[in-house]
Amino acid sequence: DAGVTQSPTHLIKTRGQQVTLRCSPISGHKSVSWYQQVLGQGPQFIFQYYEKEERGRGNFPDRFSARQFPNYSSELNVNALLLGDSALYLCASSLVGTGAYNEQFFGPGTRLTVL
Amino acid sequence: LAKTTQPISMDSYEGQEVNITCSHNNIATNDYITWYQQFPSQGPRFIIQGYKTKVTNEVASLFIPADRKSSTLSLPRVSLSDTAVYYCLVGDMADSSYKLIFGSGTRLLVRP
């Protein structure tokens, strides 16, 4: 079985641009979470989706948005990119429900660099 | 908002037991406490999860006191390959909005 996949692997953008990151969960998993990890820091929670509905949101500005599709894949969109958005963006999927009581399986991440 | 606190770094030697503690006030009532391991340029990998008391699996043990305001990850007989960053993860329901909170991470260095 394939693990969580994310695309693209690396991305370089300039300030002000918009970016879309994609995530495919493990087959059968209905929940997807997004995290931002700045170099040297722990992952910061951005969103969690379950059954195509937003179930949790971190302290990120409205420039960050996400959605989950009927096949449970997900996209994270970031508008008006800032230099500080440069980070590793991690997607994690879990089997059911929300909350930390479900083991989350993480993808390899998308490395975003904003110049 | 739940705040998690972990030691920044720890040093150990091969074969020793390592205990890493995470303090987490304001954890959501029904949420479990989960620990992850992360190597450079990789996503975090699940180690162990628990709600209360003690949980043990093939790689680690997790101790959670009755008040659930902290947890301790115990790695028995560490090896060089256990050199990594270790994170605790808890859920928080402050502001009526669910959030998952990672600790700041503990960088474990295992020496020969």
Side-chain angles (χ1 to χ4, degrees), chain A residues 2-3 21-22 31 43 51 62 86 94 104-105 111:
Chain A
L21 311 181
R22 295 176 177 82
S31 181
E51 287 283 14
D62 292 343
S86 294
S94 57
Q104 295 188 71
F105 294 81
R111 173 72 61 188

Side-chain angles (χ1 to χ4, degrees), chain B residues 2 24-29 31-33 67-69 90-92:
Chain B
H24 30 74
N25 61 348
N26 212 29
I27 179 175
T29 304
D31 260 23
Y32 280 51
I33 297 157
D67 65 8
R68 299 187 357 106
K69 291 185 182 300
V90 300
D92 176 81

Side-chain angles (χ1 to χ4, degrees), chain B residues 90-109:
Chain B
V90 300
D92 176 81
M93 273 300 292
D95 308 322
S96 301
S97 174
Y98 185 77
K99 297 177 175 59
L100 287 163
I101 310 294
F102 266 94
S104 52
T106 298
R107 190 172 299 275
L108 174 64
L109 174 61

Side-chain angles (χ1 to χ4, degrees), chain B residues 44-109:
Chain B
R45 187 176 70 173
F46 174 90
I47 302 173
I48 196 167
Q49 185 177 73
Y51 184 80
K52 206 180 282 188
T53 62
K54 178 182 174 182
V55 179
T56 298
N57 63 20
E58 62 275 10
V59 299
S61 293
L62 179 60
F63 300 90
I64 304 168
D67 65 8
R68 299 187 357 106
K69 291 185 182 300
S70 67
S71 59
T72 299
L73 172 72
S74 180
L75 304 172
R77 300 177 298 283
V78 293
S79 63
L80 297 177
S81 63
D82 292 320
T83 293
V85 180
Y86 292 83
Y87 295 98
C88 61
L89 172 66
V90 300
D92 176 81
M93 273 300 292
D95 308 322
S96 301
S97 174
Y98 185 77
K99 297 177 175 59
L100 287 163
I101 310 294
F102 266 94
S104 52
T106 298
R107 190 172 299 275
L108 174 64
L109 174 61

